[in-house]
């Protein structure tokens, strides 16, 4: 994937987070911290793969992406050319990104009005 496209896609969460950033800074800090962790994990896993050492579990990579580090994971994949050809991994990775983006849009742009009834049904007070 070309660098410009990678950076554009990786920056999309910032555009989605924009409404919250006017009121709170914690979403930006969370996104940045999770992205740095994901980027480092991809680098570590690639390094260990080359050396034949113990690897970072794929579930860990997906969990960090799910918890907000998707942008850093994308950058790590492209920077180190790691996990880019493994189709099942990529399907899960892009699905996480899509679900994460939809949830952020619902929460920040639509005020959670579409998912709030579901949330209240799952977790009644």
């Amino acid at each position: 994937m070309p660098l410009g496209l990678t950076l554009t896609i990786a920056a999309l969460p910032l555009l989605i987070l924009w409404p919250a950033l006017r009121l709170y800074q914690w979403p930006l800090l969370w996104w940045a911290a999770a992205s740095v962790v994901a980027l480092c994990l991809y680098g570590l896993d690639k390094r260990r793969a080359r050396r034949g050492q113990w690897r970072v579990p794929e579930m860990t990579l997906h969990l960090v992406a799910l918890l907000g580090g998707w942008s850093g994971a994308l950058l790590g994949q492209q920077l180190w050319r790691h996990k880019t050809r493994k189709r099942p991994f990529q399907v899960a990775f892009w699905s996480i990104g899509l679900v994460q983006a939809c949830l952020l849009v619902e929460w920040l742009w639509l005020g959670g009005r579409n998912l709030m009834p579901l949330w209240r049904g799952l977790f009644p007070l």
Side-chain angles (χ1 to χ4, degrees):
M1 181 181 313
L3 180 61
L5 181 59
T6 300
L7 293 176
T8 301
I9 294 172
L12 283 178
L14 280 179
L15 295 175
I16 296 170
L17 287 170
W18 192 255
L21 296 179
R22 289 187 234 143
L23 301 172
Y24 313 104
Q25 280 72 45
W26 69 265
L28 177 63
L29 296 174
W30 181 272
W31 172 79
S35 291
V36 168
V37 168
L39 181 69
C40 291
L41 281 175
Y42 273 82
L44 176 66
D45 192 44
K46 180 65 174 196
R47 182 176 174 193
R48 288 182 172 178
R50 287 181 177 162
R51 293 180 176 183
Q53 297 174 330
W54 173 84
R55 304 280 302 277
V56 176
E58 287 185 358
M59 189 59 70
T60 301
L61 297 174
H62 286 317
L63 182 62
V64 172
L66 182 66
L67 293 175
W70 191 86
S71 296
L74 177 64
L75 293 173
Q77 284 182 21
Q78 298 304 310
L79 181 64
W80 288 291
R81 297 283 184 237
H82 191 52
K83 302 283 189 189
T84 58
R85 293 185 182 185
K86 203 169 183 185
R87 188 171 305 275
F89 185 89
Q90 286 297 307
V91 168
F93 175 76
W94 285 97
S95 297
I96 288 169
L98 181 62
V99 167
Q100 192 176 63
C102 290
L103 289 174
L104 282 172
V105 166
E106 165 64 18
W107 174 52
L108 295 171
W109 289 71
L110 302 176
R113 65 178 172 255
N114 296 309
L115 290 179
M116 194 55 70
L118 174 64
W119 183 262
R120 287 187 183 135
L122 293 173
F123 304 102
L125 294 176

